[in-house]
C-alpha cells in the first residue's frame, strides 16, 4: 500500500507539472485513492463521499473570510487607497537614506493589513513606487527586489488568506493564526529595513531632501487614518472577541464600501460590478482548489497515508527541531514550484498530525508553513511577485531575482527565528487566551 500511495502522490505532481489545473489533479488523485481502497477491500466505491467532500470543502464557514477580505482589498485598492498609504509611509520614514526603499516596505506592511495577499501588494505598491524609485536614481533591479521581498509581509500580517486556508485544512483557530502572525510580520518589516540600511552603506541610495509643510503633514495624516482604520477594526475586533475572522471580513467589506463611496468618494456605484467580478475571479479558483483538495485528503486518509507518513518521519528522527528543519527544506522546494495556498492544502493535513505528535503547536507549525510557502512568491521558477515587479520595471526575471536575493536572505533569518523560537509566534495568542 505504501508503494501505491507514493505513486498517487507522484502522479499528482506529474499531472500538475504537465499543466493540468491543480483542482483537476487533486480531484483525480482523490477519486483514484477511493478506487484503490474499493479494490483492495472489495467494497463498493464511496462515490457519495466525493460530492460530500466537495460540498464540505466549500461550505466551511471560516472560508467565507477569504472572498470577504479579497473583496475589501479590491474595493480599497480601486478607491485609490494605495497612494494614501504610500504618502503616509513616506511621512513616517522622513529623510532617512534610502527613504523610498524603506517606504515601500512600510507601505507593504500597511497594505498587507488590508488585502492579505503578496501578489496584490507587489502589483499595487510596485506599480506606483518602482517608477518613482527609478526616477530618483535607484536601479530598477533594486527597486523590483525590495518591493518583491516586502510583498511577503502581506500574508503574514493579519488578515491573511493563506492562514485561513491552513486553519481550515487542519482545524486550527483562524483568530489564533492571525494573532500569531503579528510579531513575525513586524519582524519581517524590520529585517527588510535593516537590509536596506546595510545596502545603503554600499550603494548610497538616494535620500529625499524635501520637507513636507505642516499643511501637507496634516492632509497626509487625515488621508491615512481612514484606510488604516480597516486593519484596526479587523484585528481589534478579533483580539477583543467582538467578532470572528469571517465576521471581521464582512465588516471590512462594509467599511471599505462606505469609505470609498461616501467618505472619500473615489468610487461610484457603476464601478462595483467590475470590482465584484475581479474579487470573484480571485477567490473562486482558490475555493475550487480547496473543495477538490478535500476529496484528495479524504481519499489518502482512507488509505492511512497520514499514519504511514508519521511512522516514516519518526523512523528518521524523533527530534522535533530536526523535523522542523526537514519540513522547512521541503516547503522551500515546494514553494518554488507550487502556489502557496495549494501547497498548504496538500501538505498541511499530512504534516500537521506529525507536528502534533511531536508536541509542536498547530499555530507555531502553521506560521512556519505559511511564511515558508509565502516566500515562494519570490523564489524562481514560479515566483509570482518576481514576474509582477519585473514586468512593471521592464527587466528580466534574472535581474529581478538578483535584486531580491539580499532581502530573501534576511527573510530566511526570520523564518529560522520563528522556527526555533516558538514564543515569537505563540506569545500574543497565549496572552489573549487563544487556543494554540
Amino acid at each position: 500500500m505504501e508503494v501505491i500511495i507514493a505513486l498517487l502522490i507522484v502522479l499528482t505532481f506529474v499531472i500538475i507539472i504537465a499543466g493540468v489545473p491543480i483542482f483537476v489533479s487533486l480531484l483525480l488523485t482523490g477519486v483514484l485513492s477511493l478506487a484503490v481502497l474499493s479494490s483492495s477491500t472489495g467494497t463498493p466505491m464511496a462515490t457519495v463521499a466525493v460530492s460530500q467532500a466537495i460540498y464540505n470543502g466549500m461550505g466551511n464557514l471560516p472560508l467565507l473570510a477569504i472572498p470577504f477580505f479579497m473583496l475589501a482589498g479590491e474595493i480599497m485598492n480601486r478607491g485609490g487607497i494605495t497612494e494614501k498609504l504610500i504618502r503616509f509611509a513616506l511621512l513616517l520614514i522622513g529623510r532617512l537614506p534610502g527613504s523610498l526603499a524603506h517606504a515601500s516596505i512600510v507601505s507593504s506592511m500597511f497594505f498587507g493589513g488590508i488585502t492579505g495577499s503578496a501578489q496584490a501588494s507587489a502589483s499595487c505598491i510596485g506599480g506606483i513606487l518602482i517608477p518613482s524609485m527609478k526616477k530618483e536614481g535607484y536601479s530598477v533591479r533594486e527597486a523590483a527586489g525590495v518591493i518583491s521581498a516586502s510583498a511577503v509581509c502581506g500574508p503574514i500580517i493579519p488578515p491573511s488568506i493563506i492562514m485561513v486556508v491552513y486553519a481550515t485544512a487542519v482545524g486550527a483557530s483562524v483568530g489564533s493564526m492571525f494573532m500569531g502572525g503579528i510579531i513575525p510580520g513586524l519582524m519581517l518589516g524590520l529585517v527588510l529595513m535593516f537590509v536596506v540600511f546595510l545596502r545603503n552603506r554600499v550603494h548610497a541610495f538616494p535620500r529625499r531632501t524635501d520637507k513636507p509643510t505642516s499643511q501637507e503633514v496634516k492632509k497626509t495624516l487625515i488621508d491615512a487614518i481612514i484606510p488604516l482604520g480597516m486593519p484596526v477594526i479587523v484585528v481589534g475586533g478579533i483580539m477583543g472577541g467582538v467578532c470572528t475572522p469571517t465576521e471581521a471580513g464582512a465588516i471590512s467589506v462594509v467599511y471599505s464600501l462606505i469609505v470609498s463611496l461616501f467618505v472619500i468618494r473615489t468610487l461610484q456605484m457603476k464601478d462595483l460590478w467590475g470590482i465584484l467580478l475581479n474579487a470573484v475571479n480571485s477567490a473562486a479558483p482558490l475555493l475550487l482548489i480547496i473543495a477538490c483538495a478535500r476529496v484528495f485528503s479524504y481519499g489518502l486518509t482512507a488509505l492511512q497515508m497520514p499514519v504511514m507518513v508519521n511512522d516514516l518521519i519518526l523512523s528518521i528522527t524523533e527530534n522535533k527541531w530536526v523535523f522542523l528543519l526537514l519540513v522547512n527544506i521541503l516547503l522551500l522546494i515546494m514553494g518554488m514550484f507550487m502556489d502557496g495556498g495549494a501547497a498548504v492544502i496538500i501538505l498541511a493535513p499530512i504534516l500537521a498530525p506529525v507536528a502534533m505528535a511531536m508536541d509542536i503547536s498547530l499555530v507555531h507549525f502553521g506560521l512556519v508553513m505559511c511564511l515558508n510557502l509565502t516566500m515562494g512568491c519570490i523564489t524562481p521558477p514560479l515566483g509570482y511577485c518576481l514576474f509582477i515587479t519585473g514586468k512593471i520595471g521592464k527587466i528580466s526575471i534574472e535581474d529581478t531575482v538578483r535584486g531580491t536575493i539580499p532581502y530573501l536572505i534576511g527573510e530566511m533569518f526570520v523564518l529560522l527565528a520563528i522556527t526555533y523560537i516558538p514564543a515569537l509566534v505563540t506569545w500574543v495568542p497565549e496572552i489573549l487566551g487563544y487556543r494554540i
Side-chain angles (χ1 to χ4, degrees), residues 276-346:
L276 286 170
L277 285 179
N278 286 341
V280 169
N281 288 334
S282 298
L286 180 56
L287 292 176
L288 186 57
I289 290 172
I290 292 172
C292 293
R294 281 301 180 97
V295 182
F296 174 85
S297 178
Y298 180 87
L300 293 181
T301 301
L303 291 176
Q304 300 299 306
M305 188 193 66
V307 176
M308 296 177 188
V309 171
N310 183 67
D311 293 341
L312 174 62
I313 292 176
L314 291 178
S315 69
I316 298 172
T317 180
E318 294 186 4
N319 186 307
K320 66 179 181 180
W321 307 118
V322 176
F323 166 71
L324 286 170
L325 176 63
L326 296 175
V327 167
N328 272 325
I329 294 171
L330 171 64
L331 295 179
L332 284 170
I333 295 171
M334 287 289 293
M336 295 171 67
F337 298 97
M338 181 175 288
D339 174 76
V344 165
I345 294 165
I346 294 172

Side-chain angles (χ1 to χ4, degrees), residues 64-85:
L64 283 176
I66 294 176
F68 280 140
F69 286 128
M70 285 185 169
L71 178 56
E74 185 70 25
I75 293 169
M76 296 291 265
N77 183 46
R78 288 281 291 273
I81 299 302
T82 310
E83 294 89 340
K84 293 178 172 58
L85 292 177

Side-chain angles (χ1 to χ4, degrees), residues 356-410:
M356 292 180 67
M358 292 187 173
D359 197 30
I360 299 172
S361 158
L362 273 181
V363 175
H364 175 219
F365 185 74
L367 257 296
V368 170
M369 176 172 266
C370 290
L371 175 55
N372 199 316
L373 291 172
T374 300
M375 287 165 58
C377 292
I378 58 172
T379 53
L382 188 61
Y384 294 127
C385 292
L386 298 177
F387 288 100
I388 291 170
T389 56
K391 185 176 180 181
I392 294 171
K394 298 178 182 178
I395 58 174
S396 67
I397 187 68
E398 292 83 2
D399 278 343
T400 309
V401 170
R402 291 190 190 100
T404 307
I405 286 175
Y407 303 97
L408 178 61
I409 293 172

Side-chain angles (χ1 to χ4, degrees), residues 135-151:
K135 185 177 179 180
E136 283 208 1
Y138 290 82
S139 70
V140 181
R141 185 169 73 183
E142 191 73 33
V146 69
I147 289 174
S148 296
S150 62

